[in-house]
Amino acid sequence: MRLLILAFAAGVGLLQIQPTLPGTGWLWGVAPIFLLASYLPKHGYWRQAAWLGLMLLVGFAYAAWRAEMRLADTLDPAWEGREVRLAGRVAGLPEVTPRGQRFVYRVEHVDTVGARLPGRVVLNLYDDPGKPMSDRASRAVLGGACLTLSARLYRPQGSHNPGGFDYQAWLLERGIRAQGRVSAGSVAASADCRESLPGRLDGLRETLRGRIHERLPDSPHAGIISALALGDQNAITGEQWQLFRRTGVTHLMSISGLHVTLLGWLVYTATLWGWRRASRLTLRWPARRVAPWVGLSVSVLYALLAGFGIPAQRTLFMLLAVTVAVSLDRLHSASRVLAAALFLVLVIDPWAMLSVGFWLSFGAVAALLFAGAGRLGQRHRWLAWGRAQWVVTLALLPLLLFMFQEFSLVSPMANAFAIPLISLLAVPLSIGAALIPAAWPATLASGVVEIVMTGLRWLDRLPQPVWHGAAPGLWAMLLAGVGVLVLLLPRGIPARWLGWLLILPVLMPRIDRPGLGEYRLHALDVGQGLALVLRTRNHALAYDSGPGYASGDDAGSRVVAPFLHGQGYSRLDGLVVSHDDTDHSGGALSLIASHAPGWLLSSLADPGDGRLSAHGRAILAAAERPILCVEGQSWTWDDIRFDVLYPPARYHANLGFEDNDRSCVVRVSGRHGSMLLTGDLARLGEMSLLESQRSAVASDVLIVGHHGSGSSSSPDFVAAVKPKLALISVGRANPFGHPDAAVLRGLASAGAEIWRTDRHGAIEVRLENGVPQAISTQAQQRRYWHELAAEPRQPGLSGSVKRPLNPQ
């Protein structure tokens, strides 16, 4: 049975890596394989192989069928970006963002005639800064509320970066098939929604969330307690998440499988103890049969209170498999129960394999079962607890390095004290803080969390709490898996130390670096902004850091830093911030904190007239070695020359030059070709640059200024640069109509091959003998749920279509 379930899981996983959904022609192979499996000798290897092949095809077909149904619930392209009037209910707890709120909305009625919309969408509601805070607070969207509103919807879109988070896959698993923006002033309460249990639960959770925050008005841990009790992870601050990530306890600060399992175990233990002391009940219903179902029931109630999120659902399916096995006296084989849980999870949610939590939870349980199989005797409980921490840490090390390119070195110590304090004390107290009409549970829960936070902060202050490594390859992961199995073998088996040798390729993967005199440019997909990374043989430079986002995050922490870690860079040799616009400098502070660049070169001049923003001043204060960008500066790395062509020093004090026209322009050149990085340089700046440096701007690759705006890339400038490849960093469906149609025509007329991050995702550019070669991440990582395939590289006039704001 176990092998058959693994084959089914392999088929489900195979479907999830397909670039498009398959047709039905391959189904003709199912019948021959079934006949082969039925008529071959019963105990032969070929019969087993046939059944395994059949189960693989069944898993593949089942996942494809579910995907077809999920994708059928889609937004009609004809209604993309058009305002529609909707009636429906807020699902879950709305997330508060710096600019407003984000929430999931279940559509029940579409009042706009002819509109075809999906059933679940995610919406952004932005505050009107002109209204007083009291008025804005009274208009806040509440969980479970029935509302009518007007919105502009778009098909799911996300960024495409090497090894980056797949937002579209995250939406697909949750059945969210569109995203959009609520039209200002259109939200109104309604009574047209159907009454439903999920709606009532969400309303209850909203009330309980308010109760927690009322009882802890000044506590910095109110968000953590709300997350533990109600699954309100968005209430945890970014600084707190960073501390949890660095100490390896992020799984504890949300409704994880561990909390659901341990709460069920506590109730199971209490029920077992009490039931055995009631002789009449015990004689009629054995305690060992009743207690598992009571524990499971409490776990279900907790999961419902916490929003019944997908991680909690997976855990409940696993607990259900264990409960059924106990009831049927089938718990003698834990691996069979784990396999049954795997089958149940994938049947209900075939997209579970796309989740990091799926691999970490099943991997940890499988490792514990393997490490405990066939062992004689019992360890002391504290020794057993320590060994369990060691087993989980070792087993998850390759997965964490593969998925996140980092591993918390203090994680075993942090989890050793945080797991019992959070799961056995803070979680029950947090639930009490929400349900009990008294203040003491909230106060005690806050105290327990403070003890945990104190310990985590101490661990985070150690010299190196986190170890970063480059993303390992598939072969390195396979070797590491074998190495983990070898290290977890029982004592007495010789040469177990060889397992460390098998793990070494994951810890020190082979990194593809440019050769001497070569360099590569990576234009990361950061939305409406710019973030470039240039790599030479031994150095790395970031040119701009991308925008800040409405959620409060920024491209530096979400995109650029993970990319650098994945490439094996723990530090930057230099950071260039072209000018004081947040779509270029929004992630600079995060990059300075994570990668400590050796120097900062920027046009962030502060002449004292108030032009420099507070964010720009913060960047200068945080930088280790700030340098003002001035024409004539240059440096050489690994036979690659970097020349600053613009601006002249006097322009920094000239009030007639806007920030865009003081963008730091850098030309990169080597024996294979050259690139010109222009920031947001507008036409006035282009004219000034050509007056003094016309002969120096010619380059094989042009990073098009100001995202392809009509205020940049004048015909004279493009003719002087003579690019063979033009790269435009631009957001999907941006509100500015970038790139401009006239700019696209001018670049095409000049013979430039046009690449755009909104259509190709992150773009890697290599030069060989003056010929640029571009590689699209979106094409390499395409999956069937990605709505828009990469467009042709010569878009013609398609870029002239102006669409409203993509709210992501």
Side-chain angles (χ1 to χ4, degrees), residues 652-684:
H652 290 297
N654 191 331
L655 296 177
F657 281 84
E658 301 291 338
D659 283 333
N660 287 358
D661 285 314
R662 290 187 289 113
S663 291
C664 186
V665 177
V666 179
R667 185 176 185 269
V668 187
S669 58
R671 67 170 180 259
H672 289 291
S674 57
M675 300 183 184
L676 188 66
L677 320 180
T678 62
D680 267 357
L681 193 67
R683 295 201 176 198
L684 178 60

PDB file of all heavy atoms in Angstrom, residues 652-684:
ATOM      1  N   HIS A 652      23.721  68.501  -8.470  1.00  0.00           N
ATOM      2  CA  HIS A 652      23.125  68.112  -7.194  1.00  0.00           C
ATOM      3  C   HIS A 652      22.593  69.316  -6.420  1.00  0.00           C
ATOM      4  O   HIS A 652      21.704  69.172  -5.585  1.00  0.00           O
ATOM      5  CB  HIS A 652      24.148  67.352  -6.337  1.00  0.00           C
ATOM      6  CG  HIS A 652      24.458  65.986  -6.875  1.00  0.00           C
ATOM      7  ND1 HIS A 652      23.509  65.002  -6.978  1.00  0.00           N
ATOM      8  CD2 HIS A 652      25.618  65.451  -7.346  1.00  0.00           C
ATOM      9  CE1 HIS A 652      24.061  63.908  -7.488  1.00  0.00           C
ATOM     10  NE2 HIS A 652      25.341  64.152  -7.716  1.00  0.00           N
ATOM     11  N   ALA A 653      23.148  70.494  -6.694  1.00  0.00           N
ATOM     12  CA  ALA A 653      22.682  71.703  -6.015  1.00  0.00           C
ATOM     13  C   ALA A 653      21.809  72.571  -6.900  1.00  0.00           C
ATOM     14  O   ALA A 653      21.366  73.641  -6.477  1.00  0.00           O
ATOM     15  CB  ALA A 653      23.887  72.519  -5.533  1.00  0.00           C
ATOM     16  N   ASN A 654      21.537  72.101  -8.132  1.00  0.00           N
ATOM     17  CA  ASN A 654      20.756  72.883  -9.085  1.00  0.00           C
ATOM     18  C   ASN A 654      19.277  72.572  -8.900  1.00  0.00           C
ATOM     19  O   ASN A 654      18.818  71.452  -9.143  1.00  0.00           O
ATOM     20  CB  ASN A 654      21.201  72.548 -10.514  1.00  0.00           C
ATOM     21  CG  ASN A 654      20.618  73.499 -11.533  1.00  0.00           C
ATOM     22  OD1 ASN A 654      19.536  74.047 -11.349  1.00  0.00           O
ATOM     23  ND2 ASN A 654      21.339  73.709 -12.620  1.00  0.00           N
ATOM     24  N   LEU A 655      18.511  73.554  -8.480  1.00  0.00           N
ATOM     25  CA  LEU A 655      17.089  73.346  -8.236  1.00  0.00           C
ATOM     26  C   LEU A 655      16.315  73.076  -9.513  1.00  0.00           C
ATOM     27  O   LEU A 655      15.177  72.600  -9.472  1.00  0.00           O
ATOM     28  CB  LEU A 655      16.496  74.574  -7.520  1.00  0.00           C
ATOM     29  CG  LEU A 655      17.040  74.855  -6.121  1.00  0.00           C
ATOM     30  CD1 LEU A 655      16.421  76.128  -5.563  1.00  0.00           C
ATOM     31  CD2 LEU A 655      16.768  73.686  -5.186  1.00  0.00           C
ATOM     32  N   GLY A 656      16.897  73.363 -10.669  1.00  0.00           N
ATOM     33  CA  GLY A 656      16.204  73.144 -11.928  1.00  0.00           C
ATOM     34  C   GLY A 656      16.182  71.693 -12.356  1.00  0.00           C
ATOM     35  O   GLY A 656      15.493  71.351 -13.315  1.00  0.00           O
ATOM     36  N   PHE A 657      16.933  70.834 -11.670  1.00  0.00           N
ATOM     37  CA  PHE A 657      16.987  69.427 -12.038  1.00  0.00           C
ATOM     38  C   PHE A 657      16.193  68.599 -11.029  1.00  0.00           C
ATOM     39  O   PHE A 657      16.485  68.603  -9.831  1.00  0.00           O
ATOM     40  CB  PHE A 657      18.436  68.933 -12.089  1.00  0.00           C
ATOM     41  CG  PHE A 657      19.157  69.312 -13.349  1.00  0.00           C
ATOM     42  CD1 PHE A 657      19.750  70.570 -13.472  1.00  0.00           C
ATOM     43  CD2 PHE A 657      19.228  68.444 -14.418  1.00  0.00           C
ATOM     44  CE1 PHE A 657      20.401  70.922 -14.636  1.00  0.00           C
ATOM     45  CE2 PHE A 657      19.886  68.787 -15.588  1.00  0.00           C
ATOM     46  CZ  PHE A 657      20.462  70.038 -15.701  1.00  0.00           C
ATOM     47  N   GLU A 658      15.193  67.910 -11.540  1.00  0.00           N
ATOM     48  CA  GLU A 658      14.418  67.010 -10.690  1.00  0.00           C
ATOM     49  C   GLU A 658      15.254  65.779 -10.345  1.00  0.00           C
ATOM     50  O   GLU A 658      16.317  65.548 -10.914  1.00  0.00           O
ATOM     51  CB  GLU A 658      13.133  66.594 -11.403  1.00  0.00           C
ATOM     52  CG  GLU A 658      12.219  67.754 -11.778  1.00  0.00           C
ATOM     53  CD  GLU A 658      11.593  68.394 -10.551  1.00  0.00           C
ATOM     54  OE1 GLU A 658      11.518  67.704  -9.497  1.00  0.00           O
ATOM     55  OE2 GLU A 658      11.191  69.564 -10.627  1.00  0.00           O
ATOM     56  N   ASP A 659      14.712  64.980  -9.412  1.00  0.00           N
ATOM     57  CA  ASP A 659      15.425  63.762  -9.005  1.00  0.00           C
ATOM     58  C   ASP A 659      15.718  62.860 -10.200  1.00  0.00           C
ATOM     59  O   ASP A 659      16.812  62.282 -10.310  1.00  0.00           O
ATOM     60  CB  ASP A 659      14.602  62.998  -7.969  1.00  0.00           C
ATOM     61  CG  ASP A 659      14.696  63.635  -6.590  1.00  0.00           C
ATOM     62  OD1 ASP A 659      15.712  64.290  -6.324  1.00  0.00           O
ATOM     63  OD2 ASP A 659      13.758  63.473  -5.798  1.00  0.00           O
ATOM     64  N   ASN A 660      14.727  62.688 -11.090  1.00  0.00           N
ATOM     65  CA  ASN A 660      14.930  61.812 -12.241  1.00  0.00           C
ATOM     66  C   ASN A 660      16.115  62.260 -13.083  1.00  0.00           C
ATOM     67  O   ASN A 660      16.898  61.425 -13.576  1.00  0.00           O
ATOM     68  CB  ASN A 660      13.673  61.782 -13.108  1.00  0.00           C
ATOM     69  CG  ASN A 660      12.554  60.989 -12.468  1.00  0.00           C
ATOM     70  OD1 ASN A 660      12.720  60.422 -11.400  1.00  0.00           O
ATOM     71  ND2 ASN A 660      11.399  60.967 -13.113  1.00  0.00           N
ATOM     72  N   ASP A 661      16.261  63.582 -13.263  1.00  0.00           N
ATOM     73  CA  ASP A 661      17.334  64.096 -14.117  1.00  0.00           C
ATOM     74  C   ASP A 661      18.675  64.147 -13.411  1.00  0.00           C
ATOM     75  O   ASP A 661      19.663  64.589 -14.004  1.00  0.00           O
ATOM     76  CB  ASP A 661      16.954  65.489 -14.635  1.00  0.00           C
ATOM     77  CG  ASP A 661      15.905  65.413 -15.739  1.00  0.00           C
ATOM     78  OD1 ASP A 661      16.072  64.582 -16.641  1.00  0.00           O
ATOM     79  OD2 ASP A 661      14.917  66.166 -15.671  1.00  0.00           O
ATOM     80  N   ARG A 662      18.716  63.718 -12.160  1.00  0.00           N
ATOM     81  CA  ARG A 662      19.990  63.561 -11.463  1.00  0.00           C
ATOM     82  C   ARG A 662      20.297  62.089 -11.219  1.00  0.00           C
ATOM     83  O   ARG A 662      21.136  61.747 -10.377  1.00  0.00           O
ATOM     84  CB  ARG A 662      19.963  64.321 -10.134  1.00  0.00           C
ATOM     85  CG  ARG A 662      19.966  65.835 -10.311  1.00  0.00           C
ATOM     86  CD  ARG A 662      20.110  66.595  -9.000  1.00  0.00           C
ATOM     87  NE  ARG A 662      18.903  66.514  -8.181  1.00  0.00           N
ATOM     88  CZ  ARG A 662      18.834  65.881  -7.003  1.00  0.00           C
ATOM     89  NH1 ARG A 662      19.906  65.269  -6.541  1.00  0.00           N
ATOM     90  NH2 ARG A 662      17.716  65.855  -6.327  1.00  0.00           N
ATOM     91  N   SER A 663      19.633  61.202 -11.963  1.00  0.00           N
ATOM     92  CA  SER A 663      19.875  59.771 -11.806  1.00  0.00           C
ATOM     93  C   SER A 663      21.337  59.433 -12.071  1.00  0.00           C
ATOM     94  O   SER A 663      21.954  59.969 -12.989  1.00  0.00           O
ATOM     95  CB  SER A 663      18.985  58.967 -12.756  1.00  0.00           C
ATOM     96  OG  SER A 663      17.635  59.054 -12.384  1.00  0.00           O
ATOM     97  N   CYS A 664      21.849  58.529 -11.264  1.00  0.00           N
ATOM     98  CA  CYS A 664      23.240  58.086 -11.396  1.00  0.00           C
ATOM     99  C   CYS A 664      23.334  57.114 -12.581  1.00  0.00           C
ATOM    100  O   CYS A 664      22.778  56.010 -12.544  1.00  0.00           O
ATOM    101  CB  CYS A 664      23.680  57.400 -10.111  1.00  0.00           C
ATOM    102  SG  CYS A 664      25.421  56.943 -10.067  1.00  0.00           S
ATOM    103  N   VAL A 665      24.011  57.529 -13.646  1.00  0.00           N
ATOM    104  CA  VAL A 665      24.135  56.727 -14.870  1.00  0.00           C
ATOM    105  C   VAL A 665      25.494  56.034 -14.864  1.00  0.00           C
ATOM    106  O   VAL A 665      26.537  56.680 -14.732  1.00  0.00           O
ATOM    107  CB  VAL A 665      23.989  57.605 -16.123  1.00  0.00           C
ATOM    108  CG1 VAL A 665      24.189  56.767 -17.381  1.00  0.00           C
ATOM    109  CG2 VAL A 665      22.620  58.277 -16.130  1.00  0.00           C
ATOM    110  N   VAL A 666      25.467  54.709 -14.996  1.00  0.00           N
ATOM    111  CA  VAL A 666      26.693  53.905 -14.947  1.00  0.00           C
ATOM    112  C   VAL A 666      26.787  53.074 -16.221  1.00  0.00           C
ATOM    113  O   VAL A 666      25.807  52.454 -16.654  1.00  0.00           O
ATOM    114  CB  VAL A 666      26.699  52.973 -13.718  1.00  0.00           C
ATOM    115  CG1 VAL A 666      27.969  52.119 -13.695  1.00  0.00           C
ATOM    116  CG2 VAL A 666      26.583  53.784 -12.429  1.00  0.00           C
ATOM    117  N   ARG A 667      27.977  53.080 -16.820  1.00  0.00           N
ATOM    118  CA  ARG A 667      28.242  52.227 -17.980  1.00  0.00           C
ATOM    119  C   ARG A 667      29.192  51.111 -17.544  1.00  0.00           C
ATOM    120  O   ARG A 667      30.225  51.357 -16.918  1.00  0.00           O
ATOM    121  CB  ARG A 667      28.864  53.021 -19.119  1.00  0.00           C
ATOM    122  CG  ARG A 667      29.057  52.221 -20.413  1.00  0.00           C
ATOM    123  CD  ARG A 667      29.579  53.122 -21.517  1.00  0.00           C
ATOM    124  NE  ARG A 667      29.669  52.425 -22.801  1.00  0.00           N
ATOM    125  CZ  ARG A 667      30.759  51.782 -23.232  1.00  0.00           C
ATOM    126  NH1 ARG A 667      31.866  51.761 -22.480  1.00  0.00           N
ATOM    127  NH2 ARG A 667      30.766  51.169 -24.412  1.00  0.00           N
ATOM    128  N   VAL A 668      28.817  49.882 -17.879  1.00  0.00           N
ATOM    129  CA  VAL A 668      29.612  48.699 -17.540  1.00  0.00           C
ATOM    130  C   VAL A 668      30.167  48.127 -18.824  1.00  0.00           C
ATOM    131  O   VAL A 668      29.420  47.937 -19.803  1.00  0.00           O
ATOM    132  CB  VAL A 668      28.757  47.643 -16.814  1.00  0.00           C
ATOM    133  CG1 VAL A 668      29.621  46.506 -16.314  1.00  0.00           C
ATOM    134  CG2 VAL A 668      27.977  48.264 -15.665  1.00  0.00           C
ATOM    135  N   SER A 669      31.464  47.847 -18.858  1.00  0.00           N
ATOM    136  CA  SER A 669      32.074  47.361 -20.103  1.00  0.00           C
ATOM    137  C   SER A 669      33.130  46.303 -19.808  1.00  0.00           C
ATOM    138  O   SER A 669      33.811  46.334 -18.782  1.00  0.00           O
ATOM    139  CB  SER A 669      32.710  48.525 -20.878  1.00  0.00           C
ATOM    140  OG  SER A 669      33.675  49.184 -20.084  1.00  0.00           O
ATOM    141  N   GLY A 670      33.218  45.357 -20.718  1.00  0.00           N
ATOM    142  CA  GLY A 670      34.218  44.298 -20.665  1.00  0.00           C
ATOM    143  C   GLY A 670      34.559  43.871 -22.069  1.00  0.00           C
ATOM    144  O   GLY A 670      34.070  44.449 -23.051  1.00  0.00           O
ATOM    145  N   ARG A 671      35.371  42.848 -22.178  1.00  0.00           N
ATOM    146  CA  ARG A 671      35.821  42.447 -23.507  1.00  0.00           C
ATOM    147  C   ARG A 671      34.702  41.873 -24.369  1.00  0.00           C
ATOM    148  O   ARG A 671      34.829  41.799 -25.596  1.00  0.00           O
ATOM    149  CB  ARG A 671      36.969  41.450 -23.396  1.00  0.00           C
ATOM    150  CG  ARG A 671      36.615  40.107 -22.813  1.00  0.00           C
ATOM    151  CD  ARG A 671      37.775  39.124 -22.996  1.00  0.00           C
ATOM    152  NE  ARG A 671      37.476  37.819 -22.452  1.00  0.00           N
ATOM    153  CZ  ARG A 671      37.913  37.367 -21.281  1.00  0.00           C
ATOM    154  NH1 ARG A 671      38.661  38.160 -20.529  1.00  0.00           N
ATOM    155  NH2 ARG A 671      37.613  36.165 -20.863  1.00  0.00           N
ATOM    156  N   HIS A 672      33.574  41.483 -23.746  1.00  0.00           N
ATOM    157  CA  HIS A 672      32.477  40.901 -24.506  1.00  0.00           C
ATOM    158  C   HIS A 672      31.383  41.902 -24.849  1.00  0.00           C
ATOM    159  O   HIS A 672      30.470  41.573 -25.616  1.00  0.00           O
ATOM    160  CB  HIS A 672      31.864  39.728 -23.743  1.00  0.00           C
ATOM    161  CG  HIS A 672      32.752  38.519 -23.692  1.00  0.00           C
ATOM    162  ND1 HIS A 672      33.033  37.758 -24.799  1.00  0.00           N
ATOM    163  CD2 HIS A 672      33.433  37.967 -22.662  1.00  0.00           C
ATOM    164  CE1 HIS A 672      33.840  36.756 -24.451  1.00  0.00           C
ATOM    165  NE2 HIS A 672      34.103  36.874 -23.164  1.00  0.00           N
ATOM    166  N   GLY A 673      31.414  43.112 -24.269  1.00  0.00           N
ATOM    167  CA  GLY A 673      30.392  44.088 -24.595  1.00  0.00           C
ATOM    168  C   GLY A 673      30.116  45.019 -23.426  1.00  0.00           C
ATOM    169  O   GLY A 673      30.775  44.976 -22.386  1.00  0.00           O
ATOM    170  N   SER A 674      29.101  45.884 -23.602  1.00  0.00           N
ATOM    171  CA  SER A 674      28.837  46.943 -22.631  1.00  0.00           C
ATOM    172  C   SER A 674      27.343  47.079 -22.373  1.00  0.00           C
ATOM    173  O   SER A 674      26.498  46.679 -23.178  1.00  0.00           O
ATOM    174  CB  SER A 674      29.395  48.270 -23.136  1.00  0.00           C
ATOM    175  OG  SER A 674      28.848  48.591 -24.410  1.00  0.00           O
ATOM    176  N   MET A 675      27.040  47.693 -21.202  1.00  0.00           N
ATOM    177  CA  MET A 675      25.661  47.968 -20.799  1.00  0.00           C
ATOM    178  C   MET A 675      25.587  49.368 -20.223  1.00  0.00           C
ATOM    179  O   MET A 675      26.539  49.849 -19.591  1.00  0.00           O
ATOM    180  CB  MET A 675      25.190  46.960 -19.739  1.00  0.00           C
ATOM    181  CG  MET A 675      25.205  45.513 -20.176  1.00  0.00           C
ATOM    182  SD  MET A 675      24.547  44.429 -18.870  1.00  0.00           S
ATOM    183  CE  MET A 675      24.810  42.811 -19.628  1.00  0.00           C
ATOM    184  N   LEU A 676      24.443  50.021 -20.394  1.00  0.00           N
ATOM    185  CA  LEU A 676      24.220  51.369 -19.881  1.00  0.00           C
ATOM    186  C   LEU A 676      23.026  51.340 -18.938  1.00  0.00           C
ATOM    187  O   LEU A 676      21.914  50.983 -19.333  1.00  0.00           O
ATOM    188  CB  LEU A 676      23.968  52.352 -21.030  1.00  0.00           C
ATOM    189  CG  LEU A 676      23.914  53.831 -20.640  1.00  0.00           C
ATOM    190  CD1 LEU A 676      25.278  54.303 -20.138  1.00  0.00           C
ATOM    191  CD2 LEU A 676      23.457  54.680 -21.823  1.00  0.00           C
ATOM    192  N   LEU A 677      23.255  51.733 -17.678  1.00  0.00           N
ATOM    193  CA  LEU A 677      22.227  51.742 -16.639  1.00  0.00           C
ATOM    194  C   LEU A 677      21.845  53.193 -16.381  1.00  0.00           C
ATOM    195  O   LEU A 677      22.682  53.999 -15.971  1.00  0.00           O
ATOM    196  CB  LEU A 677      22.754  51.104 -15.357  1.00  0.00           C
ATOM    197  CG  LEU A 677      23.636  49.845 -15.514  1.00  0.00           C
ATOM    198  CD1 LEU A 677      24.072  49.325 -14.160  1.00  0.00           C
ATOM    199  CD2 LEU A 677      22.908  48.765 -16.304  1.00  0.00           C
ATOM    200  N   THR A 678      20.568  53.530 -16.606  1.00  0.00           N
ATOM    201  CA  THR A 678      20.179  54.939 -16.626  1.00  0.00           C
ATOM    202  C   THR A 678      19.204  55.350 -15.528  1.00  0.00           C
ATOM    203  O   THR A 678      18.834  56.531 -15.456  1.00  0.00           O
ATOM    204  CB  THR A 678      19.542  55.275 -17.987  1.00  0.00           C
ATOM    205  OG1 THR A 678      18.357  54.484 -18.165  1.00  0.00           O
ATOM    206  CG2 THR A 678      20.508  55.013 -19.117  1.00  0.00           C
ATOM    207  N   GLY A 679      18.743  54.439 -14.668  1.00  0.00           N
ATOM    208  CA  GLY A 679      17.796  54.825 -13.627  1.00  0.00           C
ATOM    209  C   GLY A 679      16.509  55.369 -14.212  1.00  0.00           C
ATOM    210  O   GLY A 679      15.883  54.754 -15.068  1.00  0.00           O
ATOM    211  N   ASP A 680      16.126  56.574 -13.763  1.00  0.00           N
ATOM    212  CA  ASP A 680      14.924  57.248 -14.274  1.00  0.00           C
ATOM    213  C   ASP A 680      15.295  58.483 -15.094  1.00  0.00           C
ATOM    214  O   ASP A 680      14.531  59.464 -15.132  1.00  0.00           O
ATOM    215  CB  ASP A 680      14.019  57.676 -13.115  1.00  0.00           C
ATOM    216  CG  ASP A 680      12.968  56.625 -12.784  1.00  0.00           C
ATOM    217  OD1 ASP A 680      12.907  55.600 -13.491  1.00  0.00           O
ATOM    218  OD2 ASP A 680      12.219  56.819 -11.800  1.00  0.00           O
ATOM    219  N   LEU A 681      16.425  58.444 -15.744  1.00  0.00           N
ATOM    220  CA  LEU A 681      16.895  59.617 -16.479  1.00  0.00           C
ATOM    221  C   LEU A 681      15.852  60.059 -17.501  1.00  0.00           C
ATOM    222  O   LEU A 681      15.407  59.283 -18.344  1.00  0.00           O
ATOM    223  CB  LEU A 681      18.207  59.298 -17.195  1.00  0.00           C
ATOM    224  CG  LEU A 681      18.984  60.495 -17.753  1.00  0.00           C
ATOM    225  CD1 LEU A 681      19.509  61.368 -16.620  1.00  0.00           C
ATOM    226  CD2 LEU A 681      20.137  60.010 -18.636  1.00  0.00           C
ATOM    227  N   ALA A 682      15.421  61.346 -17.403  1.00  0.00           N
ATOM    228  CA  ALA A 682      14.425  61.907 -18.311  1.00  0.00           C
ATOM    229  C   ALA A 682      15.128  62.659 -19.444  1.00  0.00           C
ATOM    230  O   ALA A 682      16.359  62.708 -19.527  1.00  0.00           O
ATOM    231  CB  ALA A 682      13.475  62.822 -17.552  1.00  0.00           C
ATOM    232  N   ARG A 683      14.339  63.261 -20.324  1.00  0.00           N
ATOM    233  CA  ARG A 683      14.909  63.829 -21.552  1.00  0.00           C
ATOM    234  C   ARG A 683      15.864  64.987 -21.278  1.00  0.00           C
ATOM    235  O   ARG A 683      16.856  65.149 -21.991  1.00  0.00           O
ATOM    236  CB  ARG A 683      13.786  64.269 -22.487  1.00  0.00           C
ATOM    237  CG  ARG A 683      12.955  63.091 -22.969  1.00  0.00           C
ATOM    238  CD  ARG A 683      12.190  63.391 -24.231  1.00  0.00           C
ATOM    239  NE  ARG A 683      11.491  62.196 -24.708  1.00  0.00           N
ATOM    240  CZ  ARG A 683      11.036  62.050 -25.940  1.00  0.00           C
ATOM    241  NH1 ARG A 683      11.190  63.025 -26.823  1.00  0.00           N
ATOM    242  NH2 ARG A 683      10.416  60.945 -26.300  1.00  0.00           N
ATOM    243  N   LEU A 684      15.585  65.799 -20.247  1.00  0.00           N
ATOM    244  CA  LEU A 684      16.514  66.871 -19.914  1.00  0.00           C
ATOM    245  C   LEU A 684      17.861  66.301 -19.500  1.00  0.00           C
ATOM    246  O   LEU A 684      18.922  66.785 -19.933  1.00  0.00           O
ATOM    247  CB  LEU A 684      15.937  67.732 -18.783  1.00  0.00           C
ATOM    248  CG  LEU A 684      16.828  68.878 -18.289  1.00  0.00           C
ATOM    249  CD1 LEU A 684      17.145  69.855 -19.422  1.00  0.00           C
ATOM    250  CD2 LEU A 684      16.163  69.599 -17.116  1.00  0.00           C
TER     251      LEU A 684
END
